[in-house]
Amino acid sequence: MPTDSGVDRARLAALADRERASFAERRPRSAAAYQRADHLFGRVPMTWMNKTAAGFPIYFETAHGNRITDVDGHEYLDFCLGDTGAMAGHSPAPVVDAVTRRLAGPGGATTMLPTEDAAAVGAELARRFGIPYWSFALTATDANRWAIRLLRAVTGRPKILVNSYCYHGSVDESLIVVGPDGRGRSREGNVGAPTDVTTTSRVAEFNDLEGLERELAHGDVAAVLMEPALTNIGIVLPEPGYLAGVRELTRTYGTYLINDETHTFSAGPGGATAAWGLEPDVLTIGKAIAGGIPIGAYGLSAGLAEAILARTDLDLVDMGGVGGTLAGNPVSMAAARACLEHVLTEPAFDSMIATATAFAGGLRKIIEGYALPWSVSRLGARVEYRFADPAPRNGTESAAAADGELEDFLHTYLANRGVLLTPFHNMALMAPQTTVADVERHHEIFAAALGELTAATA
């Protein structure tokens, strides 16, 4: 019988078995490489890579633009793009040239000394996001951690507030969700928490100003750390007036606001902050801004920077510092400058967003044509379809709408025909190199998958 996702489960199971068998049969070299990786924990260099719909990961051989080839000779249209890390496309020429020049010319991969590139990147981020002062880490997780520490220091308050099912990397304080009783609890799967997360964090549902105010009223929240739109639990867009309400409430209760734009950077060249006229006190970002080279960054408002620097009791240089030896290194700075100045430009975003708009429109037509109770959401250059209609309005609703079996089938079906989506969910991201023809190819395969899924129930 069909479930809330609108598909017959027996039909889905049979098709999924067929697609997994085909996946394995056509990728013997990937399968063998995976089996040989005896000295990698989980057989992969990062355990995230075991998030695969078909039993083992694809081992890639080449990656350029929005194309990947694997070790078995298959080519893929890549709509995953390293889960946003390669939003600029794989190995964009200006970034490759800048990194090569740095290493082969002046030299110095790690020097613990600044370069002029770093100042240029800071100035460009300030221009785009309207936040004047910047510093660097190697990941957005680290940038978020340092922002949290700074804001605890200047407020004297112990807690951080996040949205249920938010995404801020592996920040301990963010692994909290709203439980069935409406109270905060540790998120399922939280590994090795240093303490009960409710001692460090508060939580409110996205799009719930009443819940946010209830938590801020305790007077112990140093900062609200949030994405302007939820992304990693599926795209959840802000309702009209919500983000303005968040800013008003944080000011009313003396709480700082951090916008994490690591994923919502897809909204435009200045992320959702510029696109929607937001006014955070801190902005964190990582992944895409260096064209795939490791980087994280955090920006501070003028008032906050002044307040922090006035605190002579804070060690901002040595033990109180952040980022580690490799943060702000010459290679990352050269890559970020090239990416921001020459790749992820305003014209590039115009093209990416136009392509994403076509992607979303085509998806809706296909889904409506099969009368499935699904929805499509778009955040700039990022598009996602959900197994719920209307689209979820908060993280808990979005988590409840997940259908892992259906998702895995669709991912495997697409991969077997040369299309990659983000493994965690049904997200497609457009690079500057993505074309409407690429979109049409995805839609052709997607429509075929839905046709097979619904054939037995039509």
Side-chain angles (χ1 to χ4, degrees):
M1 294 293 292
T3 69
D4 289 343
S5 297
V7 299
D8 182 271
R9 307 313 290 191
R11 178 70 173 162
L12 171 61
L15 288 170
D17 287 345
R18 184 195 74 189
E19 292 300 318
R20 280 193 295 267
S22 175
F23 182 95
E25 181 182 355
R26 298 177 64 225
R27 294 168 181 82
R29 294 186 64 187
S30 282
Y34 186 59
Q35 290 304 313
R36 286 195 303 269
D38 294 332
H39 295 287
L40 293 177
F41 180 56
R43 297 188 179 277
V44 288
M46 178 179 65
T47 52
W48 180 95
M49 295 177 187
N50 273 322
K51 176 61 176 174
T52 173
F56 60 88
I58 292 168
Y59 278 63
F60 92 93
E61 182 79 16
T62 67
H64 296 283
N66 69 325
R67 297 292 199 279
I68 283 179
T69 60
D70 68 18
V71 295
D72 291 286
H74 307 298
E75 184 179 82
Y76 303 88
L77 292 173
D78 187 11
F79 289 99
C80 171
L81 296 172
D83 195 23
T84 306
M87 189 168 74
H90 297 290
S91 301
V95 174
V96 172
D97 291 345
V99 170
T100 302
R101 280 197 305 272
R102 164 52 60 183
L103 290 173
T110 299
T111 59
M112 288 288 281
L113 293 170
T115 63
E116 291 180 300
D117 283 339
V121 174
E124 177 63 7
L125 292 173
R127 182 189 73 82
R128 290 185 181 221
F129 292 102
I131 302 288
Y133 299 110
W134 289 84
S135 192
F136 298 96
L138 282 179
T139 68
T141 292
D142 278 347
N144 281 321
R145 286 175 177 150
W146 184 229
I148 286 170
R149 290 175 63 184
L150 288 175
L151 298 180
R152 281 183 170 141
V154 296
T155 62
R157 295 178 176 184
K159 293 194 173 184
I160 302 300
L161 187 146
V162 297
N163 294 127
S164 194
Y165 293 96
C166 60
Y167 177 68
H168 303 292
S170 57
V171 171
D172 289 321
E173 290 86 347
S174 70
L175 299 175
I176 184 172
V177 296
V178 176
D181 60 358
R183 303 178 63 162
R185 62 173 175 83
S186 182
R187 184 166 174 174
E188 184 178 355
N190 186 3
V191 176
T195 186
D196 182 340
V197 71
T198 61
T199 66
T200 63
S201 307
R202 293 190 177 277
V203 63
E205 293 285 7
F206 196 78
N207 281 321
D208 180 5
L209 292 174
E210 182 179 342
L212 173 62
E213 183 166 21
R214 183 170 59 248
E215 296 299 319
L216 291 179
H218 291 278
D220 57 0
V221 176
V224 170
L225 169 61
M226 69 179 297
E227 300 174 277
L230 297 184
T231 59
N232 222 44
I233 195 66
I235 294 173
V236 179
L237 297 172
E239 295 175 347
Y242 170 65
L243 295 177
V246 171
R247 179 70 278 192
E248 181 179 353
L249 285 173
T250 53
R251 286 174 172 154
T252 297
Y253 287 95
T255 299
Y256 285 105
L257 176 62
I258 309 170
N259 275 4
D260 185 343
E261 289 267 23
T262 302
H263 281 175
T264 57
F265 186 31
S266 64
T273 296
W276 300 340
L278 308 180
E279 298 178 353
D281 302 295
V282 181
L283 191 144
T284 57
I285 194 168
K287 292 192 179 182
I289 61 172
I293 299 296
I295 194 169
Y298 58 94
L300 308 174
S301 69
L304 176 58
E306 182 179 352
I308 294 170
L309 292 174
R311 289 284 300 274
T312 57
D313 59 313
L314 300 180
D315 180 357
L316 301 177
V317 175
D318 192 8
M319 290 303 294
V322 67
T325 303
L326 302 182
N329 68 77
V331 175
S332 292
M333 294 298 97
R337 183 174 187 177
C339 185
L340 294 172
E341 291 184 355
H342 303 293
V343 186
L344 290 178
T345 60
E346 292 184 18
F349 271 99
D350 288 343
S351 173
M352 293 154 63
I353 291 170
T355 306
T357 301
F359 193 103
L363 271 184
R364 290 190 184 98
K365 289 181 180 178
I366 295 167
I367 291 168
E368 289 168 1
Y370 286 100
L372 288 165
W374 302 357
S375 56
V376 178
S377 298
R378 182 178 64 83
L379 177 62
R382 179 187 302 264
V383 181
E384 186 151 7
Y385 54 90
R386 311 305 312 286
F387 307 129
D389 187 24
R393 63 180 300 271
N394 60 46
T396 299
E397 288 183 8
S398 193
D403 186 332
E405 294 174 350
L406 178 54
E407 184 175 291
D408 283 354
F409 161 71
L410 289 168
H411 281 237
T412 309
Y413 192 101
L414 287 162
N416 282 341
R417 292 153 184 82
V419 173
L420 298 179
L421 296 183
T422 301
F424 284 115
H425 39 103
N426 304 311
M427 188 275 289
L429 184 62
M430 311 298 132
Q433 303 87 353
T434 309
T435 67
V436 172
D438 297 334
V439 169
E440 291 172 347
R441 176 58 182 153
H442 167 275
H443 289 358
E444 177 185 352
I445 300 167
F446 181 72
L450 298 198
E452 291 205 58
L453 267 177
T454 59
T457 57

